[in-house]
Amino acid sequence: MGETDGEHTQGIRPTLGQRFKDLTERSLPLIAILYVSSAITAVSTFVTACVTAGQWYQQNFNWQAGEYTKLAKLHAGYTLEKFEEELGRPSIQIALSKTNLGNLTQNTFQPRSEYWVDAVTDPHNRVVAYAVTSCDSDFNPSFAYWDGEQRRGVSLNKTPFPLPSTSKVKAYISGAIGPKYYFAIRAADSISANRSYAWGVTNLCPWKAVKSTHPDAWVDWFSSAVRRFETGGYSITVNANELDKLGRDLMSEYAVNTYAETAPRVDFSVYPDQIGANPMLIPPALSHLPWSGP
């Protein structure tokens, strides 16, 4: 009976797992391949985890550098496709009135909650004017412009409002929750390669005080300026060197939160209202309108 059992045991076919084990125990090259494959898989998993962690860190703690790089690649005169390549699709698109450049479109982007980008395009999708507005005191993209005498730089939420004598000031104040903005505009000429530049503050985003010695004087000064320059409305556009001392002091007490430029041989009349993203077109949940300004 025992012999029969032995013969029966010897006749059982080994399982696939037993055959694989026997094969690997007899084949050193196969064992080496398996170890190397396991090591590669482990390293690949580790690298993927590191990349994911790095992306998470950059997205949440070191995001500014990546956004600065995007903005450095953009200029008025480029195509809308180039802007979409860097910033994604615009959040808002509206048709503007017809101009000598043709029918224009205002494209407003919000790549992150910390800032807005605005681009006005002509019928050929060329960006004829471009503006960046920062809503975060720690988001400080830098831009360069010609002030008529030399090349200067401006960093949003860091640089006090510059007012070169060659610039004009465009300002507007409406109701308590309406638009408020002050822009210095450097008109195009041969020195600026026929580009126009602008910088200033808009209540699309909060204003950052560099120093504040006249915190309650803005509305009173604006009202007196409207009467002084006899504009007959809610806006003024005057030469910077015509502003009185209080007006110049007020603007110097705040850092600019917006920079804008045009393509060559284009001026800021392409914006029917204010330069850059219009806070009245931004959904209330995304706008800082009621809380911005001095």
Side-chain angles (χ1 to χ4, degrees):
M1 188 62 134
E3 184 178 355
T4 303
D5 289 341
E7 291 175 355
H8 180 70
T9 301
Q10 292 176 2
I12 296 175
R13 297 183 62 183
T15 65
L16 181 62
Q18 290 172 330
R19 280 185 287 168
F20 181 77
K21 180 181 178 183
D22 292 341
L23 177 63
T24 55
E25 287 176 346
R26 295 195 302 269
S27 176
L28 290 177
L30 181 58
I31 293 173
I33 291 172
L34 290 173
Y35 274 117
V36 170
S37 177
S38 298
I40 291 174
T41 300
V43 170
S44 176
T45 301
F46 176 74
V47 170
T48 300
C50 288
V51 169
T52 301
Q55 291 174 339
W56 177 86
Y57 177 80
Q58 182 168 349
Q59 181 72 12
N60 293 277
F61 295 100
N62 193 33
W63 57 271
Q64 292 95 332
E67 303 305 307
Y68 296 159
T69 300
K70 291 179 184 179
L71 295 175
K73 297 177 182 178
L74 301 176
H75 285 286
Y78 290 1
T79 64
L80 180 63
E81 287 74 17
K82 175 62 177 175
F83 277 68
E84 291 179 338
E85 179 183 318
E86 299 297 333
L87 307 173
R89 295 283 297 169
S91 304
I92 300 169
Q93 287 183 301
I94 62 167
L96 300 178
S97 58
K98 188 174 181 179
T99 70
N100 61 342
L101 298 173
N103 293 321
L104 303 181
T105 302
Q106 187 170 2
N107 306 270
T108 304
F109 301 81
Q110 191 183 30
R112 290 182 58 103
S113 63
E114 292 86 357
Y115 74 105
W116 295 87
V117 173
D118 198 78
V120 176
T121 51
D122 66 13
H124 306 290
N125 270 352
R126 180 179 73 123
V127 174
V128 296
Y130 153 61
V132 181
T133 302
S134 172
C135 296
D136 188 309
S137 61
D138 293 325
F139 185 59
N140 316 118
S142 297
F143 305 92
Y145 66 93
W146 287 95
D147 70 353
E149 300 174 355
Q150 59 181 304
R151 191 172 180 83
R152 297 186 183 275
V154 58
S155 297
L156 302 188
N157 289 323
K158 286 184 70 175
T159 303
F161 201 127
L163 277 176
S165 59
T166 54
S167 65
K168 286 184 177 293
V169 171
K170 180 179 181 180
Y172 180 92
I173 290 183
S174 62
I177 61 171
K180 292 191 287 284
Y181 57 79
Y182 294 81
F183 284 105
I185 299 173
R186 171 73 173 89
D189 58 21
S190 58
I191 297 176
S192 66
N194 293 316
R195 292 179 180 271
S196 296
Y197 297 96
W199 51 91
V201 287
T202 163
N203 64 332
L204 172 66
C205 293
W207 299 14
K208 182 178 179 181
V210 178
K211 57 179 181 177
S212 186
T213 55
H214 307 87
D216 301 317
W218 281 90
V219 174
D220 290 341
W221 173 82
F222 185 83
S223 298
S224 67
V226 167
R227 292 192 298 271
R228 176 187 169 200
F229 295 107
E230 299 180 350
T231 63
Y234 293 99
S235 65
I236 61 172
T237 301
V238 298
N239 294 325
N241 58 12
E242 294 182 56
L243 294 179
D244 58 21
K245 183 178 184 303
L246 177 58
R248 299 180 70 88
D249 286 349
L250 285 170
M251 293 179 200
S252 69
E253 291 173 4
Y254 285 81
V256 296
N257 64 15
T258 300
Y259 165 85
E261 65 185 33
T262 69
R265 294 176 295 281
V266 176
D267 60 46
F268 284 109
S269 64
V270 296
Y271 279 108
D273 297 308
Q274 74 175 70
I275 295 170
N278 187 340
M280 300 305 289
L281 301 177
I282 307 299
L286 300 177
S287 175
H288 296 270
L289 190 62
W291 304 280
S292 297

